[in-house]
Amino acid sequence: MVMRNYGIPPAPIVSLPITGSSDLFPVRRIYCVGRNYADHVREMGGDPNRSTPIFFTKSRETIVQSGAKIPYPPQTKNLHYEIELVVAMAGETEVFGYGVGLDMTRRDLQAAAKKKGKPWDMAKNFCNSAPCSAVVRVIDAPDISTAKITLTNNGTLKQKSTLNKMIWRVDEIIAHLNKTVTLAAGDLIYTGTPEGVGAVQAGETLIGKIDGLPEIKVAYV
Ligand code: MN
């Protein structure tokens, strides 16, 4: 085989720790579900009864591991947290494990895009916009079907729900996604946020938790 060099250094592999292992989970694509908890759909001014699953994507380079300090991003005055269950895929339909993620959103840019029917990309897919905890293998994870999901900002509880309030369950999300794309090993799915989203400022620390999974903690500077 002829070894080829690259004209520029190839991008590094983005990965997440795997709980209880020295192995890493290499991240491929990131899919995110919009409008997956009725009370969050309502707080955003939507009608949960008429919703269908909507999907958007983030680049894998938006991943930030737990414990990081994140610079407050440019082009926003309204950076919102969204605590979410993250599903790590081992194949087209096979789940590798679970994590806890933050779907960080420049809400002012999203609102402007929604108003004009324009794409959400710059509101969702920006540097450091997808913090994620370590991944727990399914075989090592407890039953999380009714687990509590919470987010605190500087110690104050902001979001609180349970995973059984998701409009679409994990298996349904995977089935819906596979109608449109072919999921593959390494893909992450951010499964939507419950009610209580709000703004984070520089100097504040977010901690997201789902019972039985590792926490995600990031500090904005
Ligand atoms: Mn979200």
Side-chain angles (χ1 to χ4, degrees), residues 148-167:
K148 191 170 67 168
I149 178 170
T150 60
L151 179 128
T152 61
N153 183 0
N154 268 5
T156 303
L157 184 64
K158 299 291 188 183
Q159 292 189 266
K160 181 185 174 193
S161 190
T162 49
L163 295 185
N164 57 352
K165 300 256 180 70
M166 291 201 296
I167 294 170

Side-chain angles (χ1 to χ4, degrees), residues 32-35 40 56 82 84 103 105 124 190-193:
C32 305
V33 184
R35 302 177 185 162
H40 173 62
F56 57 92
E82 297 189 357
E84 309 197 358
D103 167 20
T105 303
K124 289 289 195 178
Y190 281 60
T191 58
T193 197

Side-chain angles (χ1 to χ4, degrees), residues 48-67:
N49 297 313
R50 282 188 295 164
S51 294
T52 53
I54 59 166
F55 298 106
F56 57 92
T57 59
K58 297 196 183 212
S59 309
R60 60 175 162 259
E61 287 78 12
T62 62
I63 288 284
V64 178
Q65 291 190 12
S66 190

Side-chain angles (χ1 to χ4, degrees), residues 23 36 43 48-49 58 65-66 92 100 105 111 113 119 138 164-166 180 187 189 194 198 216 219:
D23 291 350
N36 203 19
E43 79 177 348
N49 297 313
K58 297 196 183 212
Q65 291 190 12
S66 190
E92 185 174 344
V100 183
T105 303
V138 170
N164 57 352
K165 300 256 180 70
M166 291 201 296
T180 309
D187 289 344
I189 306 170
I216 175 70

Side-chain angles (χ1 to χ4, degrees), residues 37 83-87 98-101 144 149 163 166 170 189-192 210 213:
Y37 290 77
I83 178 72
E84 309 197 358
L85 169 70
V86 177
V87 179
Y98 301 107
V100 183
I144 56 167
I149 178 170
L163 295 185
M166 291 201 296
V170 169
I189 306 170
Y190 281 60
T191 58
I210 294 173
L213 300 180

